[in-house]
Amino acid sequence: MEQFLAFGIVGLSTAAIYAVIGSGLVLTYTTTGVFNFAHGAAGMVSAFVYWQFTIGWGWPVLPALVVVLLVFAPLFGVLFAKALAPTQSMGDAEKLVMTVAILSGLIVMARWIWDPNEARALPKFFAGSEPIDLGPVTITGHQALTMAVAVAVAIGLRVLLYRTRSGVEMRATVDDQALVGLTGADPRRADTVAWILGIELATIGGILIAPMVALDAAQLSLLIVSAYTAAIFGRLKNLPMVFVGAIVVGCLESYLTGYLPQNDYLPGLRLAAPALLLFLALLIFPHGRLRRRDTKVNPVPLPTRNGSLAFAVVIVVLGLMLASMLSESDLITYGAMFAWGVIGLSFVPLVGLAGQISLCQLSIAGIGAVAYGHLGPNGEWWAIPAAMLIAGAVGVVIAVPALRLSGVYMALATAAFAVVLDRWIFTLPSFEIMGIRISLFEQGSVSLVGPDLFGWRLDSTAKVTVFASVCLALAGLAVVWLRRSRFGRRLIALRDSEAAYATLGGNLMVGRVLVFAVSASIAGLGGALYGMQLQAVTAEQFNFVAGLPIFLIVVIAGVGSVGAGMFTGAVFAGPLNVIPTLWPSLHNLAQVLPAAGGIAFGGGVLRTGALHSMREGWLPMLRDRIVSPVLIVVTLALWGLRLLEVIDGWGFCLGVVVAAVGGRIWHARRAKPDRTEVSADEPVAVEWLGVRTPWRPEDEEVLDRGLTATR
């Protein structure tokens, strides 16, 4: 009995920390309408800053706490408020990408500043004091402090939100910002105050929990999964139920530590328990409508058949170029762009067309890689479709919560699924189900070889690279066909309005299950191709944190654009590898680029996507019947010079860049209208202004007069 009570005290002290962190998460969500996936990362950075003051620089505890809690945390909250303010009128994916970008960026930044290879630890508060004797159990000073802080936070938040004008303003702002402004309140100030208080609570939680775990950036940031579970118990609005959920999570973790049987299959269950509980809570608890301000759904571009075929040809030609020009070692690095492209493409039908947010696509890619590795150890071709089918089946399992969840709730469910795979499923040894033996990453890594396509063995990295480019091209064409099909139009209706989807004759359950299965199959193909490229993969390469930059880049590119896959692969294999190669000291800077891009472009590009701007800038040149053929000839000539070793790889890249920029300048000059074609004395109809003649500022007045005359 004493042992049971002792584990209960440990669970309650941990629950107190989860309650504090979860309260801050609910506070910012109910006030701003933004679910902050970076909430735990904010607490993580604050814990590192506190360590730097106390251990790194030797400050006393009290001054360090004052600076961190009263200076650093409020400033950090203001930065969150400024960064996330533009997202409040965006769609779910665009709103989510900003907080995911901050989460990913803070993890990379923390690893950059504080070397992860150096062990760090924080002492517990009142570590030298005598524990408090409660008869059968004792409580340490640190445990008592965490419980007292949780009680103080609960009382303070209740008074703030329901007994003060500022609290009422904060709660009302998310429902109708304009109406709140009419009362004389300042909605922006209310948002800023909410962010300051939310990050303050994350900071308190991070400092309290850091002495109880390893001071690791990713581990501390993902402790937020437990706080997510507590927040879902409160349905993102009920603070008392958040505390109840925190107690359930904390005690569950503690009792699993003490009473879980010791065998090869269960150690990971304790680590994955909060994520499993989150997944179950999302399925069981009723969820009302997500609280949000008015949002604008971004349009989904309709790709043309000819343009899609041309783009597919370009992808395959690029694969041939890389395979013929790069060395074996370079191909392993840069040739992986096509595998990354397939994984990135898997987001397009799911997130771009159907609007179902998923954060576990890389984890599903890992399942595809494992399935192919075990089913096709000698390169059996049928192992590729089999791996896709297995990944698709996993997608169907994930689609179960999608039948009743959407938006942030769906993102949480897929994130929980990815964490369960990381912490438990991928760590399992071989096991049997209904007589079928299943192996995952049993030996730490899985070996993969290129397939044997009816006698043509892909036994080199160059052949695998070309094969991966063909797969990306075919997968892209399949997604184009899906987008142009009746089912694709129904998926877009599903994203815009479930009622509209049903009106078109769609079945919500079938539609969601099918799109998850299709998306997961594409991700599984990408994972198998990635494994072939590297020849061996580990579970760490498919973890939840590693998948965040892919989601960021796809949304930056334009999650509804089929070209987002190739864009993602090019970014991963291009700047993220080239920068460290040319400037090794900038390795950490290259790793933070996806997060920096998501934050920097959050206010503008996310509404349309980077590919939209690129198409507007470059597509007219590619359609030029003179410039485009010349550019193709120059590129092929440079390729020939590279094969003849007249120029090296850098010379080829520089030549292509110069040719592309020169071609665009040439096209701009060719497309510039010649004003001498129209006599100065010859009148030009209003509707032809800017077409037959270049547009001038004074033409605006002429156009206004013409429109007025027709009324």
Side-chain angles (χ1 to χ4, degrees):
M1 186 64 182
E2 291 184 2
Q3 185 182 22
F4 181 85
L5 292 175
F7 281 119
I9 293 297
V10 173
L12 289 175
S13 63
T14 306
I17 300 173
Y18 293 157
V20 171
I21 300 175
S23 298
L25 187 66
V26 171
L27 175 65
T28 54
Y29 179 73
T30 55
T31 304
T32 66
V34 176
F35 189 89
N36 185 16
F37 269 82
H39 194 72
M44 174 270 296
V45 172
S46 300
F48 270 102
V49 171
Y50 174 70
W51 176 92
Q52 188 64 49
F53 284 144
T54 55
I55 307 300
W57 294 340
W59 286 26
V61 170
L62 187 58
L65 283 174
V66 169
V67 173
V68 174
L69 294 178
L70 301 183
V71 179
F72 177 78
L75 292 176
F76 209 14
V78 172
L79 290 177
F80 268 82
K82 297 294 185 183
L84 296 173
T87 69
Q88 293 177 353
S89 61
M90 294 183 181
D92 289 330
E94 292 80 3
K95 187 183 296 185
L96 178 65
V97 77
M98 285 291 290
T99 61
V100 171
I102 295 174
L103 166 62
S104 179
L106 289 179
I107 292 176
V108 174
M109 185 189 71
R111 288 173 172 172
W112 187 356
I113 298 174
W114 295 280
D115 186 1
N117 297 318
E118 179 182 340
R120 293 179 177 83
L122 275 172
K124 296 181 178 180
F125 291 97
F126 307 111
S129 62
E130 291 292 328
I132 302 171
D133 189 1
L134 296 179
V137 295
T138 59
I139 301 178
T140 66
H142 188 90
Q143 291 172 335
L145 177 64
T146 57
M147 296 180 191
V149 168
V151 172
V153 167
I155 296 173
L157 287 178
R158 180 69 184 183
V159 172
L160 172 67
L161 293 176
Y162 295 94
R163 295 287 185 257
T164 66
R165 178 178 174 83
S166 296
V168 175
E169 290 177 359
M170 290 162 59
R171 290 188 294 114
T173 299
V174 71
D175 293 325
D176 195 323
Q177 193 175 37
L179 185 60
V180 172
L182 293 176
T183 66
D186 186 351
R188 293 184 179 180
R189 182 188 63 192
D191 284 354
T192 302
V193 171
W195 281 113
I196 291 175
L197 291 176
I199 300 303
E200 189 78 43
L201 293 176
T203 298
I204 294 172
I207 292 175
L208 289 176
I209 203 169
M212 303 167 62
V213 297
L215 200 59
D216 176 77
Q219 182 177 348
L220 275 177
S221 298
L222 292 184
L223 283 173
I224 192 64
V225 171
S226 301
Y228 289 165
T229 308
I232 291 301
F233 266 77
R235 291 185 288 177
L236 299 180
K237 61 181 179 180
N238 190 324
L239 286 175
M241 285 303 298
V242 171
F243 279 74
V244 172
I247 292 173
V248 172
V249 177
C251 291
L252 176 66
E253 289 183 354
S254 180
Y255 286 126
L256 284 177
T257 301
Y259 295 104
L260 195 67
Q262 298 297 317
N263 60 49
D264 295 335
Y265 297 93
L266 295 180
L269 176 60
R270 184 186 65 82
L271 299 176
L276 275 173
L277 188 59
L278 172 60
F279 196 82
L280 293 175
L282 287 166
L283 291 178
I284 296 172
F285 290 167
H287 303 291
R289 291 182 60 85
L290 291 170
R291 304 187 72 187
R292 68 175 82 175
R293 298 188 175 116
D294 292 336
T295 59
K296 296 180 180 178
V297 181
N298 298 333
V300 180
L302 179 65
T304 63
R305 293 185 178 88
N306 292 337
S308 301
L309 287 172
F311 186 62
V313 171
V314 169
I315 292 175
V316 175
V317 171
L318 179 59
L320 291 170
M321 287 182 172
L322 293 180
S324 61
M325 292 189 297
L326 297 182
S327 63
E328 187 79 7
S329 59
D330 287 339
L331 272 178
I332 293 176
T333 301
Y334 300 109
M337 73 165 62
F338 303 108
W340 287 118
V342 174
I343 298 173
L345 183 66
S346 69
F347 284 93
V348 175
L350 184 62
V351 185
L353 301 187
Q356 304 297 307
I357 300 174
S358 173
L359 297 178
C360 65
Q361 294 302 102
L362 186 61
S363 301
I364 298 176
I367 293 175
V370 168
Y372 174 77
H374 288 297
L375 294 177
N378 298 315
E380 289 82 355
W381 67 268
W382 53 264
I384 296 177
M388 294 177 65
L389 286 175
I390 292 174
V394 174
V396 171
V397 173
I398 301 174
V400 172
L403 301 179
R404 63 187 304 270
L405 301 177
S406 62
V408 169
Y409 295 132
M410 192 63 225
L412 284 171
T414 54
F417 185 83
V419 173
V420 170
L421 289 178
D422 296 346
R423 296 181 176 178
W424 185 27
I425 303 301
F426 283 164
T427 65
L428 291 175
S430 300
F431 57 93
E432 290 189 3
I433 297 180
M434 300 177 63
I436 302 175
R437 188 169 186 82
I438 299 176
S439 298
L440 299 173
F441 295 95
E442 185 176 9
Q443 303 301 323
S445 65
V446 175
S447 298
L448 296 91
V449 297
D452 186 348
L453 300 178
F454 309 104
W456 183 39
R457 185 62 180 267
L458 306 183
D459 53 1
S460 68
T461 307
K463 294 179 181 179
V464 170
T465 300
V466 176
F467 177 69
S469 69
V470 173
C471 289
L472 175 57
L474 293 177
L477 291 175
V479 174
V480 169
W481 173 81
L482 176 65
R483 166 63 183 89
R484 297 181 63 89
S485 68
R486 184 180 183 184
F487 181 60
R489 293 191 293 272
R490 287 183 173 181
L491 289 179
I492 296 173
L494 171 63
R495 183 199 66 160
D496 296 343
S497 169
E498 293 183 357
Y501 181 79
T503 301
L504 291 173
N507 184 299
L508 292 176
M509 181 181 70
V510 173
R512 285 177 171 171
V513 169
L514 283 178
V515 74
F516 264 93
V518 169
S519 176
S521 298
I522 297 174
L525 172 62
L529 294 173
Y530 183 60
M532 296 176 204
Q533 195 78 31
L534 299 184
Q535 300 179 5
V537 291
T538 64
E540 285 298 315
Q541 292 170 305
F542 300 100
N543 63 37
F544 172 68
V545 175
L548 296 179
I550 300 178
F551 176 75
L552 292 177
I553 296 173
V554 170
V555 178
I556 291 171
V559 75
S561 300
V562 177
M566 188 63 220
F567 182 93
T568 302
V571 170
F572 258 85
L576 299 188
N577 285 313
V578 171
I579 291 176
T581 300
L582 295 178
W583 304 282
S585 60
L586 299 181
H587 173 76
N588 290 315
L589 177 62
Q591 297 303 310
V592 83
L593 281 180
I599 297 172
F601 298 141
V605 173
L606 292 184
R607 296 185 183 275
T608 57
L611 288 176
H612 176 76
S613 301
M614 293 176 63
R615 276 194 297 265
E616 288 187 342
W618 293 92
L619 194 58
M621 181 199 71
L622 297 176
R623 289 176 174 172
D624 192 307
R625 296 184 178 181
I626 296 179
V627 177
S628 181
V630 171
L631 185 60
I632 294 174
V633 170
V634 171
T635 303
L636 294 176
L638 290 170
W639 184 16
L641 293 175
R642 176 66 186 93
L643 294 178
L644 295 174
E645 299 185 353
V646 176
I647 59 176
D648 58 9
W650 294 111
F652 172 82
C653 294
L654 180 61
V656 171
V657 170
V658 170
V661 174
R664 186 170 179 180
I665 295 173
W666 183 19
H667 167 74
R669 291 182 177 179
R670 279 176 39 78
K672 184 177 181 181
D674 187 0
R675 292 192 59 86
T676 60
E677 295 179 359
V678 180
S679 172
D681 298 328
E682 181 182 348
V684 178
V686 174
E687 60 268 27
W688 290 105
L689 290 175
V691 180
R692 291 185 174 178
T693 61
W695 178 261
R696 299 171 299 175
E698 53 266 32
D699 290 340
E700 183 175 358
E701 182 179 354
V702 178
L703 182 60
D704 289 340
R705 291 177 179 175
L707 292 175
T708 303
T710 60
R711 293 175 182 173

